[in-house]
Amino acid sequence: MINFFKKWTLYNRAPQELQKYIVLFWKIALYGFASLLLLFLSASIGVFGKMPSFEKLENTDSNLATQIIGSDDQIIGTFALENRIPVHYTELPESLVNALVATEDERFYQHSGIDFQGTARAISRLGKDGGASTITQQLAKNLFTKRASSNLLMRVIQKLKEIIIAVRLERRYSKQEIIAMYFNTQDFVYNAVGIRSAARIYFAKEPSELSPEESAVLVGMLKSPWKYNPVREKSKEASKNRRNVVLAQMAKNGVLTKAEKDSLSKLDLVTNFKPESHKDGVAPYFREYLRKYLVDWAKKHPKSDGSEYNIYTDGLKVYVSIDSKMQKYAEEAVAKHMANLQAAFFKEQKNNKTAPFRSLTKAEIENSIKKAMKSSARWMNMKAQGKSDKEIIKSFDVKTEMNVFSWKGDIDTIMTPRDSILYYKHYLRAGFVAIEPQTGFVKAWVGGIDYRHFMYDAVATQKRQVGSTFKPFVYITAINQMMLSPCDVYPNSRYTIPAGKYGLPESWTPENSDNRYGGSYSLKKALANSVNVISARLIDEVTPTTVAELANRAGVKTEIPKVPSIALGSVELSLYELVSAMSSFANKGQHIEPQVIFRIEDKNGTVLDEVVPKTNEVVSEESAYVLMEMMKGVTEEGTGRRLRGEYQGSSLVTGAPYNFTNPIAGKTGTSQNQSDGWFIGIVPNLIAGVWVGGEDRATHFYGIDKGQGATMALPIWGLFMKKCYADKTLHVSRGDFEKPSEMTINIDCAKQPGAYLGGSSNTGDPSLNAPDPDF
């Protein structure tokens, strides 16, 4: 081979003293080329580690986030190891593609994976002007190398592999597909993996909606997502400068005019940062409920090869019933009212020596704190480390830095963990859920006031005493069993159920909340004003067992004690099952089990499961309609009257006057000592329920005026519905409940003689003067 080059080169004509250098040069060149060729061949056959297979190159979508897609096709959230949702090339704006090519790989459309011109430049400049990795090589690194080795030899081998993979990728995919894959695999930090997550997190947009300057910001981040991050205070100026470099590159490559570049470069750096994590974003309490559901679902629905679906990496698409707009309105309503209510609660606690508790001894308070300690993450972590109870308890009295919740924004402070427990126990909690009665679709779910600090779900997990919101189950049982009319009159007098009946150890004589008696009430008025003595009469007539069985048929999963006191709401239920059960009456007596999922698809769109709701008849259509007529009285003249336009009362009724004029069936509820405030509001195509209370039952307002359900819970419903009615795209009903074609029960009290509505306790404005506790 050397003789060949001697013959065809200047070797023979060169001076003798140079001939040996020419031979040396060619030896180095030939051996170097042979060595490089050998290295490439060795790398390609896996000598330096396994290369990706043909199947792997054909299936580059790995670690894909599971998407949670709402009923309005909006992405509500994801479950992911990497928060990555792939996009197709057609979803990328032209400005984004142009910015990428102009900045990262100007000759992208001319090469086949390796830019030899750029490589020669990088070698000649010893990398001072940057490397020569093409977009395809960077993609190869993202897909198969991940992290660059700090070892020089290993990094050289990695580079060889990336070049080989880049060439293979160019053979398998079009330029457009490579660009899309490249954007889908980039990590933009802040849990933004891929361009869709980045666009959503940094600008609250889909990629197709990005403006040229926003595209330039994201492309600028590719060089170093932390150094050029647009939301970090330390890097905002660097991000703006980097954006302008990208814009200059776009102008240089002819995809922007100089005038456009100059104009865009002068713009301020504007973002709309919306971080996405399991604890942040829309509907976090619902997403946690859904996560547990899907983990269980995956165990029962294996893949064709018998393995389980991984909800964090398999790119499932879960279509859910939540409406993103309703969810937003619900979260806003909870936040607005609870911030207002909390301010009043804090003010009241200033005069409470045992704040935030009422009527507890020091020993009882200490027990409450210790219980909270033992359920804390600190206790569990230290226990896992082998620490003794004494050591753990001692640690709760050591001051430490922490971030705590407030309605004005999180606060960085220093306090003992013990003090933080007391601090959080001052905060009132809330739960909200809305269901479409005709389908069972859950449209909004707010399990608390802030998921990052209060993770316990007040919708499906928590069970609390429901108060007077249980009374409609007593009334519907009486209507369905005895064909009672809203116009039927009952005396407003004390009623006693004797000892021994229903297993009572002693006689039971409930009292009205205002302790007033005399006269009579129609059943509609009695329910509207939550008259306890009439509820007691009714449950004795139909029996507690019959009421409990009807409630269970309606969707209450909890075992209800068969005792008369359930007529006043002594039973503990979750908000979810209470609203679910009551939705039966808004749906003509038919219960449809609440549904949160429509269907589940794999990453390719193949349907894996479709949920079919379970239905059953609870009561007749006529009975259900009669109850709705009676419950309308609650908002017309009873404890829910403050929903109407004329209410101008307490400032704690946040957002009033609501000015609702349409038919609304409702029921307020307040448990003993004002520990729990409830409101259930129903229009023909939507039922929503609200609970408000403290973590401990001893945490509550001192008096009934602030502590009743009409003050604590009802305003959240009012705020939510105002927003829903203002949004015409939601089509929330303003009409009346559909009347059955045939009626045997009279609902027109004006035509029923003797429907006297007397009684001293029903004078004035019931929503102001007749609060709604149960006992």
Side-chain angles (χ1 to χ4, degrees):
M1 181 64 72
I2 296 298
N3 291 331
F4 172 83
F5 282 105
K6 285 181 179 180
K7 180 180 180 181
W8 291 101
T9 63
L10 298 175
Y11 175 80
N12 292 323
R13 285 175 284 175
Q16 189 171 1
E17 61 271 16
L18 292 179
Q19 288 181 356
K20 63 179 181 179
Y21 293 109
I22 294 173
V23 171
L24 180 62
F25 169 79
W26 283 110
K27 280 183 178 181
I28 293 173
L30 288 171
Y31 288 141
F33 178 77
S35 298
L36 189 61
L37 182 61
L38 182 62
L39 279 173
F40 272 106
L41 288 173
S42 299
S44 65
I45 63 176
V47 171
F48 303 121
K50 190 176 180 180
M51 293 288 287
S53 64
F54 172 82
E55 290 77 15
K56 185 72 173 175
L57 289 174
E58 287 291 302
N59 297 279
T60 56
D61 284 341
S62 60
N63 282 343
L64 296 182
T66 287
Q67 300 176 58
I68 307 167
I69 303 169
S71 62
D72 52 354
D73 293 326
Q74 296 297 307
I75 296 176
I76 291 172
T78 60
F79 298 124
L81 296 180
E82 296 178 344
N83 185 24
R84 184 161 67 90
I85 303 171
V87 297
H88 296 291
Y89 181 82
T90 54
E91 299 174 76
L92 302 175
E94 185 179 13
S95 63
L96 185 67
V97 175
N98 289 340
L100 174 66
V101 174
T103 307
E104 295 293 322
D105 192 352
E106 291 176 311
R107 287 173 290 279
F108 174 70
Y109 294 108
Q110 282 76 53
H111 64 66
S112 297
I114 305 170
D115 182 3
F116 292 103
Q117 182 179 336
T119 302
R121 173 187 54 78
I123 293 172
S124 66
R125 296 288 297 165
L126 299 177
K128 292 180 181 179
D129 292 338
S133 291
T134 63
I135 288 173
T136 317
Q137 284 176 264
Q138 293 179 52
L139 173 61
K141 178 183 175 182
N142 292 345
L143 290 174
F144 305 111
T145 305
K146 303 294 184 184
R147 188 183 299 274
S149 176
S150 58
N151 181 283
L152 179 61
L153 178 60
M154 290 304 299
R155 184 61 193 131
V156 170
I157 292 173
Q158 284 179 341
K159 273 292 184 182
L160 290 174
K161 286 184 175 182
E162 289 167 14
I163 291 171
I164 294 168
I165 295 169
V167 173
R168 291 181 178 179
L169 287 171
E170 289 274 353
R171 291 175 180 174
R172 300 290 181 200
Y173 297 101
S174 68
K175 291 289 186 180
Q176 290 76 17
E177 289 172 321
I178 287 171
I179 285 177
M181 291 193 314
Y182 176 83
F183 274 123
N184 286 332
T185 56
Q186 285 297 327
D187 189 347
F188 294 86
V189 301
Y190 285 114
N191 204 29
V193 181
I195 193 64
R196 171 168 277 170
S197 293
R200 285 166 54 84
I201 289 173
Y202 289 104
F203 298 106
K205 294 180 176 181
E206 286 298 311
S208 60
E209 301 170 330
L210 291 170
S211 64
E213 67 274 17
E214 291 167 343
S215 295
V217 169
L218 294 177
V219 169
M221 291 174 68
L222 297 174
K223 187 174 183 180
S224 176
W226 282 117
K227 184 177 180 180
Y228 301 110
N229 197 284
V231 298
R232 294 175 69 236
E233 287 299 326
K234 293 181 179 179
S235 58
K236 282 186 176 180
E237 189 63 29
S239 178
K240 182 178 179 180
N241 293 336
R242 179 63 181 165
R243 178 201 69 180
N244 292 346
V245 168
V246 173
L247 293 171
Q249 282 294 110
M250 294 174 73
K252 175 187 170 185
N253 284 269
V255 292
L256 278 183
T257 65
K258 184 179 183 302
E260 288 172 329
K261 184 264 293 184
D262 292 341
S263 174
L264 294 173
S265 296
K266 293 176 183 177
L267 295 175
D268 290 334
L269 185 67
V270 179
T271 59
N272 187 7
F273 189 52
K274 302 287 185 182
E276 292 181 0
S277 73
H278 192 56
K279 293 183 179 181
D280 297 303
V282 178
Y285 294 91
F286 168 76
R287 286 187 279 115
E288 175 58 15
Y289 174 87
L290 182 65
R291 186 190 67 80
K292 293 176 180 177
Y293 176 97
L294 290 175
V295 168
D296 184 62
W297 174 90
K299 294 176 181 177
K300 299 174 182 177
H301 297 79
K303 298 178 183 179
S304 57
D305 62 3
S307 62
E308 285 187 16
Y309 283 99
N310 188 318
I311 68 169
Y312 303 103
T313 62
D314 281 340
L316 300 177
K317 295 179 181 179
V318 184
Y319 293 86
V320 299
S321 59
I322 295 292
D323 182 286
S324 66
K325 290 182 179 179
M326 284 193 181
Q327 181 66 32
K328 177 176 179 285
Y329 300 153
E331 291 177 358
E332 290 173 347
V334 169
K336 184 173 183 178
H337 176 61
M338 293 306 295
N340 185 30
L341 192 68
Q342 189 65 50
F345 189 73
F346 277 149
K347 185 177 181 180
E348 185 177 280
Q349 295 309 305
K350 290 179 180 179
N351 299 318
N352 179 12
K353 294 181 180 180
T354 58
F357 309 104
R358 294 271 181 192
S359 305
L360 288 189
T361 64
K362 288 185 178 179
E364 289 172 329
I365 292 173
E366 186 61 26
N367 285 336
S368 175
I369 293 172
K370 284 186 176 179
K371 184 179 179 182
M373 286 181 181
K374 290 183 177 181
S375 63
S376 69
R378 169 182 288 270
W379 185 284
M380 295 176 188
N381 291 336
M382 293 186 72
K383 201 70 175 175
Q385 296 168 11
K387 303 292 184 182
S388 66
D389 286 5
K390 186 177 180 180
E391 288 176 304
I392 299 173
I393 291 172
K394 186 177 179 180
S395 76
F396 277 84
D397 291 318
V398 178
K399 288 187 176 183
T400 183
E401 294 182 357
M402 61 180 68
N403 177 270
V404 297
F405 171 82
S406 86
W407 278 112
K408 294 181 179 179
D410 287 1
I411 301 171
D412 291 321
T413 187
I414 298 176
M415 66 170 69
T416 67
R418 179 188 179 90
D419 287 340
S420 74
I421 290 173
L422 275 172
Y423 174 79
Y424 279 122
K425 284 184 178 292
H426 276 78
Y427 276 92
L428 298 174
R429 319 296 171 85
F432 177 96
V433 67
I435 297 176
E436 194 173 74
Q438 292 75 25
T439 61
F441 295 158
V442 178
K443 309 305 292 183
W445 181 311
V446 185
I449 58 175
D450 186 285
Y451 185 74
R452 290 170 299 121
H453 297 282
F454 307 92
M455 298 179 70
Y456 192 65
D457 179 34
V459 171
T461 305
Q462 174 185 267
K463 293 185 179 183
R464 296 289 285 254
Q465 203 173 80
V466 295
S468 290
T469 51
F470 195 79
K471 286 178 180 175
F473 294 99
V474 179
Y475 278 72
I476 189 66
T477 304
I479 295 166
N480 201 54
Q481 181 175 308
M482 302 167 60
M483 304 299 286
L484 294 182
S485 163
C487 312
D488 289 339
V489 176
Y490 275 68
N492 179 31
S493 59
R494 294 179 183 273
Y495 188 82
T496 299
I497 298 179
K501 195 173 186 179
Y502 310 121
L504 291 176
E506 57 186 28
S507 297
W508 183 62
T509 308
E511 298 178 344
N512 286 337
S513 61
D514 58 6
N515 206 29
R516 294 183 181 182
Y517 307 94
S520 302
Y521 282 96
S522 70
L523 287 182
K524 185 173 183 177
K525 282 270 189 177
L527 182 61
N529 292 287
S530 211
V531 182
N532 289 339
V533 295
I534 293 179
S535 295
R537 286 180 182 274
L538 288 176
I539 201 166
D540 193 26
E541 291 180 358
V542 297
T543 78
T545 297
T546 307
V547 173
E549 289 175 348
L550 184 144
N552 288 143
R553 287 202 310 276
V556 173
K557 306 295 185 183
T558 300
E559 184 177 348
I560 301 172
K562 314 298 193 297
V563 294
S565 62
I566 63 173
L568 308 186
S570 62
V571 63
E572 295 185 355
L573 303 176
S574 71
L575 177 63
Y576 191 59
E577 59 186 335
L578 179 63
V579 175
S580 164
M582 211 166 286
S583 70
S584 307
F585 313 134
N587 188 38
K588 303 180 179 181
Q590 301 290 319
H591 178 251
I592 299 180
E593 191 169 313
Q595 184 175 344
V596 298
I597 293 177
F598 297 141
R599 69 183 183 277
I600 301 172
E601 297 177 356
D602 67 12
K603 65 181 182 181
N604 299 315
T606 302
V607 176
L608 303 176
D609 193 18
E610 287 188 283
V611 179
V612 179
K614 299 176 182 177
T615 65
N616 65 281
E617 182 176 323
V618 181
V619 296
S620 69
E621 180 182 353
E622 182 181 24
S623 296
Y625 177 75
V626 171
L627 180 67
M628 290 297 96
E629 282 295 306
M630 294 173 71
M631 291 180 70
K632 281 159 59 176
V634 173
T635 66
E636 291 167 354
E637 54 188 343
T639 54
R641 183 178 174 183
R642 54 189 65 186
L643 288 172
R644 301 304 175 181
E646 63 268 23
Y647 179 76
Q648 300 286 344
S650 169
S651 62
L652 292 184
V653 184
T654 314
Y658 304 107
N659 297 312
F660 296 132
T661 58
N662 56 295
I664 299 170
K667 190 69 193 80
T668 56
T670 313
S671 65
Q672 284 182 314
N673 300 318
Q674 304 84 241
S675 295
D676 308 276
W678 301 79
F679 182 71
I680 308 294
I682 312 171
V683 295
N685 64 352
L686 192 68
I687 175 172
V690 187
W691 167 86
V692 174
E695 179 184 15
D696 296 78
R697 297 181 194 277
T699 301
H700 55 77
F701 280 106
Y702 177 74
I704 192 66
D705 57 331
K706 296 175 183 174
Q708 62 179 302
T711 302
M712 289 211 297
L714 177 145
I716 292 175
W717 192 93
L719 289 166
F720 170 74
M721 291 298 288
K722 279 181 76 171
K723 290 175 179 288
C724 286
Y725 281 135
D727 189 335
K728 304 303 181 184
T729 66
L730 294 178
H731 307 293
V732 177
S733 174
R734 288 183 179 271
D736 206 346
F737 297 91
E738 184 179 349
K739 187 176 181 180
S741 56
E742 294 184 10
M743 291 285 297
T744 60
I745 298 174
N746 177 44
I747 59 171
D748 186 355
C749 297
K751 296 180 180 180
Q752 181 166 330
Y756 168 64
L757 307 181
S760 59
S761 64
N762 69 329
T763 58
D765 183 345
S767 68
L768 297 176
N769 303 321
D772 186 41
D774 304 285
F775 302 96

